Amino acid sequence: MRRLATFRRAADLLSDFRYEQTDPARFYGALARDTAAMVGAFADLDESVILDVGGGPGYFADAFGACGAHYLAVEPDPTEMHAGGLDHRGTVRAAGQALPFADDSMDVTLSSNVVEHTSRPWQMCDEMIRVTRPGGLVIVSYTLWWGPFGGHEMGLTHYAGGHRAARWYTRRHGHPPKNLYGTSLFAVTATAGLRWSRSRSDDTTLIAAFPRYLPAPSWWVLRVPVLREFLATNLVVVLRKN
């Protein structure tokens, strides 16, 4: 993964973030290809069964399919599922906290930018471990609340408080934000994710933790407790199930 985490990659991803609301196909298409590359840095994707928890509109399906993986997704929100107008060939409508799959059935279980959108994120992550086979990988990536993107489309106003930022956004745009604080957007920290991953040391091994969108020379920020909450922007934890 360090070989992939270049300054050019970081710049390209930051550029694509500008199009999340105005051109979601461009944004999510680029994010999907980057996600497949990230997962491929830790696992052989060819013929692997990948479960994407919180698959959303389905942009990730083609990116993982191009790598030879068998892609499945879970998405609880039908509006989100059909937002991109894509054909959902392998998506199941279900909650991440109660995955409708057998124990030890997936090669890789992935969650990309979902933790911050659920009020019970670590229950969801526990479920991800349950359905992953021994030797398989659990990869959790999420946006940190205190980072510059924590407020999502509300921008940096979230530093004044999530509810206040939502009111300001509504007043300015005439409608509430898509990611409404306290309902579909929650304050989660890097410390919480690292604490959860360590709490599962009885049945998993933590093999990597890094800031997803930063170039590798900047990964040291994750080792500094307070600084990481503001500068890491997005935490990735990679666990191997024992």
Side-chain angles (χ1 to χ4, degrees):
M1 185 60 208
R2 284 186 175 274
R3 290 195 298 271
L4 295 177
T6 63
F7 284 94
R8 174 62 182 271
R9 169 181 173 268
D12 287 346
L13 287 169
L14 284 172
S15 176
D16 288 327
F17 281 135
R18 296 178 298 162
Y19 299 95
E20 180 179 7
Q21 300 294 320
T22 59
D23 190 355
R26 172 174 176 170
F27 168 71
Y28 286 108
L31 187 63
R33 291 187 293 273
D34 184 78
T35 302
M38 179 182 73
V39 176
F42 295 96
D44 181 3
L45 296 181
D46 189 36
E47 296 299 319
S48 291
V49 179
I50 310 293
L51 175 63
D52 182 6
V53 179
Y59 289 107
F60 283 22
D62 288 341
F64 279 98
C67 298
H70 300 286
Y71 176 86
L72 300 171
V74 165
E75 174 56 51
D77 185 351
T79 302
E80 186 70 17
M81 185 183 298
H82 298 294
L86 304 178
D87 180 18
H88 288 264
R89 297 176 296 277
T91 300
V92 177
R93 185 182 173 191
Q97 292 82 5
L99 295 174
F101 299 102
D103 296 358
D104 306 335
S105 55
M106 304 295 164
D107 295 311
V108 177
T109 308
L110 164 73
S111 172
S112 177
N113 297 323
V114 176
V115 161
E116 69 268 27
H117 297 296
T118 175
S119 60
R120 295 178 290 156
W122 313 121
Q123 182 179 339
M124 179 189 77
C125 293
D126 287 341
E127 273 288 274
M128 292 171 63
I129 292 175
R130 178 186 66 79
V131 303
T132 304
R133 65 168 177 81
L137 295 180
V138 175
I139 302 177
V140 180
S141 170
Y142 63 94
T143 303
L144 304 178
W145 174 252
W146 294 111
F149 307 112
H152 286 53
E153 70 268 37
M154 291 178 283
L156 299 176
T157 60
H158 72 292
Y159 287 124
H163 293 298
R164 184 176 290 112
R167 290 197 301 271
W168 289 347
Y169 182 96
T170 302
R171 188 180 305 137
R172 178 179 180 183
H173 295 277
H175 60 84
K178 173 186 175 182
N179 300 290
L180 188 61
Y181 182 77
T183 301
S184 58
L185 181 63
F186 300 88
V188 287
T189 64
T191 299
L194 294 170
R195 184 184 301 121
W196 167 78
S197 63
R198 291 166 185 149
S199 76
R200 296 305 306 256
S201 59
D202 57 334
D203 54 359
T204 67
T205 300
L206 178 63
I207 63 174
F210 56 93
R212 178 170 181 177
Y213 303 123
L214 299 186
S218 304
W219 285 4
W220 61 268
V221 300
L222 202 61
R223 300 195 296 269
V224 185
V226 176
L227 196 63
R228 67 190 176 205
E229 304 296 350
F230 293 91
L231 297 186
T233 73
N234 185 292
L235 173 68
V236 179
V237 293
V238 183
L239 307 176
R240 188 177 304 281
K241 187 169 179 179
N242 299 336

